Amino acid sequence: MADLLTHVLVAYILAVLFSFRYDWITPSMVTVAMLGAVVPDLTKISLVISSTQVEALIGLPFDWGAIHMFGGTLVAITIGALLTGPAYRRRIFLLLALGAASHHVLDALLINPSGYSYAVFWPLTTYHPPTPGLYLSSDRWPALASAIVAIVVWYFR
């Protein structure tokens, strides 16, 4: 759970920092960026509905894991932006993308036994970039550090 909290807090920090520069990023728009940070973890839906169940339902090959890659995330945030009014689509897309991009950057920093991250940019490439291995997803200190920074940013906001 600390991993998801860290993703949401980092998206909050980034969106609030951008709101100092761009007036259109209101508190409700900051929430959109925070939701964008959760999009790649929609793969957890597989705990409730397996990929094979969806495959059987739609009759096409399907895997929830694709949402945690660049291509799947892009499709998901595009759908999210299209569900909003035309006047807000570009802004919603940008903020969802900000949150999702911060999620992918944080995940690329995870410790991995191979020394390489997951194929972040799939389907463009199957390249696995090297990871600096800064922390585990189960570590508590990234959540604590991001919470402290979020409190400071909130205070100055």
Side-chain angles (χ1 to χ4, degrees), residues 12-63:
Y12 171 81
I13 292 164
L14 292 173
V16 170
L17 290 176
F18 277 117
S19 76
F20 294 148
R21 171 72 170 91
Y22 301 103
D23 293 333
W24 60 267
I25 302 179
T26 60
S28 60
M29 292 292 192
V30 170
T31 305
V32 172
M34 294 166 67
L35 288 172
V38 176
V39 168
D41 277 344
L42 288 177
T43 58
K44 303 293 192 270
I45 291 174
S46 65
L47 296 172
V48 179
I49 303 169
S50 72
S51 296
T52 54
Q53 288 173 323
V54 176
E55 265 185 42
L57 182 67
I58 64 175
L60 297 169
F62 185 83
D63 185 15

Side-chain angles (χ1 to χ4, degrees), residues 81-142:
L82 288 173
L83 293 175
T84 63
Y88 295 102
R89 284 186 183 146
R90 179 172 284 141
R91 293 176 179 180
I92 296 294
F93 179 83
L94 289 172
L95 290 170
L96 287 172
L98 173 69
S102 69
H103 182 114
H104 286 300
V105 168
L106 289 174
D107 278 0
L109 301 176
L110 288 170
I111 294 172
N112 199 336
S114 69
Y116 293 93
S117 185
Y118 62 101
V120 180
F121 301 110
W122 182 86
L124 300 177
T125 179
T126 57
Y127 174 68
H128 294 255
T131 178
L134 297 180
Y135 61 94
L136 292 169
S137 62
S138 59
D139 285 346
R140 303 263 188 249
W141 70 265

